[in-house]
Amino acid sequence: MITLYDMPLSGNCHKVRLLLSLLALPYQTQPVDLRGGEQRSPDHLRRNPFGQVPVLDDDGLIVRDSQAILVYLAKRYGGTQWWPDDAYQLAQIAAWLSTAANEVANGPAKLRVHHKFGSPIDTAAAGQTADKVLGIIDRHLQHQDWLVGDSVSIADVAVYPYLALAPEGGLNIAAYPNIIAWFHRIRALPGYVTMPGMWQS
Ligand SMILES: N[C@@H](CCC(=O)N[C@@H](CS)C(=O)NCC(=O)O)C(=O)O
């Protein structure tokens, strides 16, 4: 059985919920009370020494980090549509996973945590990072439907949640028409699931 150590308002957890649902994989969630500090409990630190969610437990195999979990699920359960054989395509997917963990996390995701939960951040730096990454992604999607190749991949799943949650960080996502068109394509996928706070058309 797959168990996702989860927090309903976490975009990182949503990446995993979205892929599990797109793959139609049965799973259960185990909520981790982040406000109460449960992520720093000895039990959770054994699962993830960084004291964060998401963590996946697949019949005793523990995987931490949203990007790593997407890789695991795509390779283990997804077939070549989700984990291509081609080295160049895989490298492109890895590049976007890296963007999700860096620029998207330090731009739109950080602004959201600040606006929604009051975390102190350097708002000017996060704003600059957000503008840059949103512009790059919007231009990238001008001539292609998906971030990599000609079908959805874990690159899209990794980048999507914090872009769709960007309005909660005070960002005007409607200024990026190619991103909005990509939102619509993602939302039309069989098995798509949303979460509270995501951009509404
Ligand atoms: N690189 C990690 C980041 C995970 C992360 O930042 N998780 C947040 C929730 S979205 C968390 O667990 N925060 C609790 C804390 O840091 O105390 C990933 O992609 O999974």
Side-chain angles (χ1 to χ4, degrees), residues 7 9-13 15-16 32 34-35 37 39-40 44 48 50-55 64-69 100-101 105 112-113 162:
M7 202 281 245
L9 296 181
S10 158
N12 284 314
C13 293
K15 298 172 194 176
V16 181
V32 177
L34 297 187
R35 279 176 193 247
Q39 71 275 30
R40 292 184 292 276
H44 193 75
N48 181 356
F50 289 92
Q52 293 176 327
V53 290
V55 174
R64 67 164 174 87
D65 188 278
S66 57
Q67 280 65 236
I69 296 169
R112 171 177 176 261
V113 169
Y162 284 113

Side-chain angles (χ1 to χ4, degrees), residues 66-99:
S66 57
Q67 280 65 236
I69 296 169
L70 297 184
V71 166
Y72 172 79
L73 292 173
K75 170 73 177 156
R76 171 85 178 76
Y77 297 107
T80 51
Q81 193 221 319
W82 288 96
W83 192 251
D85 287 331
D86 181 71
Y88 184 59
Q89 213 167 339
L90 276 179
Q92 290 176 287
I93 290 173
W96 284 112
L97 297 184
S98 199
T99 303

Side-chain angles (χ1 to χ4, degrees), residues 103-126:
E103 288 85 354
V104 174
N106 289 314
K110 223 175 213 180
L111 286 169
R112 171 177 176 261
V113 169
H114 173 69
H115 281 267
K116 196 172 169 71
F117 303 111
S119 307
I121 62 160
D122 179 341
T123 48

